[in-house]
Amino acid sequence: MSKPNRPPRPQAVLTVLSSEWISPSTVRLVAGGEGFSVLNLNEFTDAYVKLVFVKPELGLTPPYDEAALREQLAPEDLPVRRTYTLRWVDRVNEQVAIDFVVHGDEGIAAPWARAAQPGDRFVASGAGGAYAPDPAADWHLFIGDESALPAIAAALEALPADARGLAYLQVGEESGRYEITGPHGIHQQWITGGGDQSSLLSEAVAAGPWPEGRVQVFAHGEREAMKAVRAVLKEREVPREDLSLSGYWAFGRTEDRFQAEKREPIGQILV
């Protein structure tokens, strides 16, 4: 029996308002426009959207009739989706900010973001998300690489001023660091190293302090790194209900392959 077709996701057509390099490898785009009202926003600090990209040479104008395009285009020309966290949402001015990590010409979204100019239009759908800091936790633990920094930064900004805890933040190079503000009681430890160095975060957590009391954990980043982090947290007996942990990407994989592998044993992180 075939599965019913899912209804098309609403497409928010947003306009780039500004572009700012917050580090040599991270560009922040602020966007808004009439499409803002189409976004299904939420109160999670890890809120994310799916950005829809098409080949510029096709001359398509958003929003895209993806059902029709599947009938008309070759598979290699179909729109592709890439997942990005909303760094912040300004509901009053109807704007969102998205941070893109740019490493040369790799990928689809990052090169587009590097070249984006005010007035450029793009499509986003969502938002998803599942985590927000629990003010009742005794302390907070944040673990992530460059892909998780926007969500961690948003969470730190949402914490009360007297919150305490630890944040382990990994960047590929020292120049990738940028200022992330948060409560003084949250100690930030920056770790440098990229590529397939999947043990750096777990080693830092294992060697670091472990305050007493109930901890709420937000741990997201490269898949194999998160598997190693999960092993450390299991040793610390962190309850599942106090843990938000997943892989945002996988070394050597495109997002399309990464998403497909979530249904396979290699892509699963048992939490």
Side-chain angles (χ1 to χ4, degrees):
M1 183 176 180
S2 61
K3 295 181 181 180
N5 293 328
R6 292 181 180 180
R9 298 172 179 173
Q11 296 184 14
V13 181
L14 301 175
T15 302
V16 176
L17 302 175
S18 66
S19 172
E20 175 191 6
W21 288 89
I22 59 175
S23 82
S25 59
T26 305
V27 61
R28 175 172 297 163
L29 299 185
V30 175
E34 295 181 2
F36 181 91
S37 62
V38 180
L39 289 173
N40 184 25
L41 297 171
N42 56 56
E43 300 301 324
F44 298 120
T45 53
D46 67 342
Y48 63 86
V49 293
K50 300 282 187 178
L51 304 185
V52 183
F53 294 95
V54 300
K55 292 182 176 180
E57 58 267 27
L58 296 176
L60 301 176
T61 302
Y64 308 115
D65 186 339
E66 295 188 73
L69 293 179
R70 282 192 290 271
E71 298 290 333
Q72 301 167 5
L73 299 177
E76 62 270 19
D77 289 334
L78 290 174
V80 296
R81 295 177 179 270
R82 294 294 182 261
T83 308
Y84 277 86
T85 301
L86 295 176
R87 173 59 185 84
W88 52 253
V89 176
D90 182 344
R91 296 174 186 268
V92 174
N93 294 305
E94 298 189 339
Q95 297 177 3
V96 297
I98 304 175
D99 293 351
F100 297 80
V101 179
V102 180
H103 293 300
D105 296 323
E106 296 178 9
I108 296 173
W112 170 83
R114 180 181 59 191
Q117 298 293 323
D120 290 351
R121 302 169 76 216
F122 65 98
V123 166
S125 64
Y131 167 86
D134 180 0
D138 294 311
W139 63 285
H140 299 265
L141 177 60
F142 300 96
I143 309 165
D145 58 23
E146 289 171 302
S147 67
L149 292 186
I152 292 175
L156 290 175
E157 291 175 352
L159 284 169
D162 61 351
R164 62 190 186 94
L166 303 162
Y168 296 95
L169 313 171
Q170 182 180 356
V171 291
E173 299 178 356
E174 186 68 20
S175 62
R177 291 180 53 168
Y178 54 87
E179 183 178 1
I180 294 180
T181 59
H184 293 298
I186 305 289
H187 173 70
Q188 297 181 20
Q189 178 176 332
W190 289 84
I191 301 163
T192 303
D196 61 350
Q197 300 181 65
S198 60
S199 64
L200 295 179
L201 284 169
S202 59
E203 290 171 354
V205 175
W210 195 265
E212 293 184 358
R214 175 187 160 229
V215 60
Q216 185 189 29
V217 180
F218 181 85
H220 295 263
E222 198 278 328
R223 186 175 64 203
E224 297 306 310
M226 291 302 104
K227 289 181 180 180
V229 166
R230 179 62 187 115
V232 174
L233 297 178
K234 185 170 288 189
E235 291 179 358
R236 298 288 189 174
E237 299 182 342
V238 177
R240 175 64 187 90
E241 58 270 21
D242 291 327
L243 174 61
S244 173
L245 185 149
S246 75
Y248 274 173
W249 63 287
F251 182 73
R253 304 291 200 275
T254 64
E255 178 162 345
D256 302 302
R257 183 57 193 153
F258 168 73
Q259 295 291 345
E261 287 180 346
K262 285 185 175 181
R263 298 185 291 272
E264 304 172 8
I266 190 176
Q268 297 173 4
I269 304 175
L270 300 179
V271 296

